[in-house]
């Protein structure tokens, strides 16, 4: 698989979004572990998780513990795997999400995540979402303290604006290495954040990158999917899936982009990883662009 950079770390150009392995409609553990192992076999070396990726109340850290078990049981080399986790959100168990960005909470959450992952320092720790009740500089300041304490090796931001990226960059400097916002063929609101990330040398990690092509893991089994788009037409021409065309389009947007498609089956992440072999011409990219919103 081709490589891209998150800070000073080279990772596969496609990551694994591990959330579907722990939330609603999650697979049994055997299939979940097989999905992580299939990702590693395919050359995926970025695994995206969070302490809030769980289903029921009292399961905080379910996904982090699952990833730790999967890595421990993998028969191959995992020394180059970057596990990126997040803190600042919660799930009470009723399907809702909460936001807590106080410095004390973030520092405790990072320490708990490190214990669950079984590491001395988290490779990449991302602030999951800005808390409107906490000054942004205070939340980002907690990441600065975690960096200085050696609890985390690098920091990232998720669900942020350009102004928040700039303020965090001023506080964290080279310690800030990534931005993770929703971005897909159907949702392009973060185009300014993608441009700024590229300008600042930050990795841009689209979450729900297949929006408009596939259902999100939170949509449930009844979620709608598209058909008959330019993505489908080009997929037929290339002999691949529309999802692989979507990932190839994302990779062509910027060298900063590292999509993290979710997967709950080994075949899904294996197919996603193969998207790095798809090369789209300028004419094909123009065709896709002409159909996209915004």
């Amino acid at each position: 698989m081709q490589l891209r950079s998150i800070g000073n770390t080279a990772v596969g150009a496609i990551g694994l979004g591990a959330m579907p392995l722990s939330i609603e409609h999650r697979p049994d553990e055997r299939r979940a572990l097989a999905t992580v192992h299939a990702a590693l076999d395919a050359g995926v070396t970025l695994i995206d998780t969070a302490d809030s990726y769980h289903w029921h109340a009292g399961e905080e850290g379910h996904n982090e513990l699952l990833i730790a078990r999967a890595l421990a049981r993998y028969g191959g080399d995992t020394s180059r795997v970057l596990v990126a986790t997040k803190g600042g959100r919660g799930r009470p168990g009723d399907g809702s999400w909460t936001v807590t960005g106080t410095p004390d909470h973030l520092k405790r959450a990072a320490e708990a995540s490190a214990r669950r992952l079984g590491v001395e320092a988290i490779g990449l720790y991302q602030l999951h979402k800005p808390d409107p009740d906490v000054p942004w500089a205070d939340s980002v300041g907690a990441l600065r303290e975690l960096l200085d304490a050696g609890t985390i090796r690098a920091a990232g931001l998720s669900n942020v604006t350009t102004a928040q990226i700039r303020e965090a960059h001023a506080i964290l400097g080279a310690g800030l290495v990534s931005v993770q916002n929703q971005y897909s063929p159907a949702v392009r609101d973060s185009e300014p954040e993608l441009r700024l990330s590229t300008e600042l040398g930050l990795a841009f990690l689209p979450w729900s990158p297949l929006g408009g092509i596939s259902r999100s893991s939170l949509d449930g089994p009844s979620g709608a999917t598209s058909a008959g788009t330019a993505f489908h037409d080009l997929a037929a021409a290339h002999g691949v899936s529309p999802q692989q065309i979507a990932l190839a389009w994302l990779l062509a947007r910027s060298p900063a982009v590292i999509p993290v498609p979710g997967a709950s089956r080994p075949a899904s992440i294996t197919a996603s990883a193969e998207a790095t072999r798809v090369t789209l011409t300028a004419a094909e990219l123009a065709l896709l662009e002409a159909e996209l919103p915004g």
Side-chain angles (χ1 to χ4, degrees):
M1 184 188 291
Q2 61 180 266
L3 301 178
R4 293 201 167 179
S5 297
I6 300 180
N8 295 323
T9 302
V11 298
I14 299 289
L16 169 65
M19 182 174 72
L21 302 177
S22 290
I23 64 165
E24 293 85 335
H25 317 294
R26 67 193 182 199
D28 60 32
E29 178 154 322
R30 181 178 179 180
R31 196 176 90 193
L33 295 176
T35 300
V36 177
H37 292 168
L40 299 174
D41 289 344
V44 171
T45 55
L46 170 65
I47 300 177
D48 179 74
T49 182
D51 60 4
S52 57
Y53 289 170
H54 61 88
W55 185 351
H56 307 291
E59 286 189 330
E60 185 174 83
H62 182 281
N63 199 243
E64 293 173 323
L65 290 167
L66 177 69
I67 296 306
R69 287 195 297 275
L71 292 175
R73 298 177 190 179
Y74 184 62
D77 181 18
T78 60
S79 62
R80 296 187 179 183
V81 175
L82 174 63
V83 177
T85 193
K86 295 180 286 293
R89 302 207 75 180
R91 300 202 78 197
D94 59 1
S96 66
W97 295 77
T98 60
V99 182
T100 307
T102 62
D104 284 347
H105 173 82
L106 292 173
K107 287 184 282 188
R108 288 197 305 270
E111 291 164 357
S113 289
R115 288 194 296 270
R116 286 189 289 264
L117 292 170
V119 297
E120 293 184 2
I122 296 170
L124 173 57
Y125 192 70
Q126 302 174 98
L127 180 56
H128 207 153
K129 188 175 184 178
D131 185 339
D133 296 325
V134 177
W136 180 236
D138 289 356
S139 295
V140 176
L143 298 183
R144 178 73 267 169
E145 291 184 41
L146 288 166
L147 285 166
D148 292 343
T151 308
I152 67 176
R153 293 195 175 94
L157 312 170
S158 187
N159 302 300
V160 287
T161 65
T162 54
Q164 289 166 334
I165 295 171
R166 290 190 184 279
E167 185 175 356
H169 190 255
I171 295 170
L172 299 172
L176 177 63
V177 300
S178 66
V179 170
Q180 187 172 22
N181 279 14
Q182 185 176 17
Y183 187 80
S184 69
V187 181
R188 300 180 65 194
D189 297 346
S190 284
E191 197 76 46
E193 288 74 29
L194 169 56
R195 289 195 298 268
L196 179 58
S197 296
T198 304
E199 174 190 325
L200 295 176
L202 307 176
F204 187 83
L205 316 176
W207 63 264
S208 198
L210 300 176
I213 306 297
S214 292
R215 287 180 284 105
S216 164
S217 58
L218 287 176
D219 288 339
S222 61
T225 57
S226 64
T229 70
F231 287 86
H232 293 78
D233 294 341
L234 285 180
H238 280 264
V240 298
S241 70
Q243 291 82 1
Q244 288 169 319
I245 294 293
L247 292 171
W249 169 77
L250 282 164
L251 291 170
R253 299 298 294 161
S254 164
V257 171
I258 304 171
V260 284
S264 61
R265 297 177 181 276
S268 298
I269 189 57
T270 299
S272 291
E274 290 174 353
T276 59
R277 302 177 184 176
V278 179
T279 300
L280 300 174
T281 67
E284 289 172 330
L285 290 169
L287 179 65
L288 296 175
E289 191 70 21
E291 186 176 270
L292 294 170

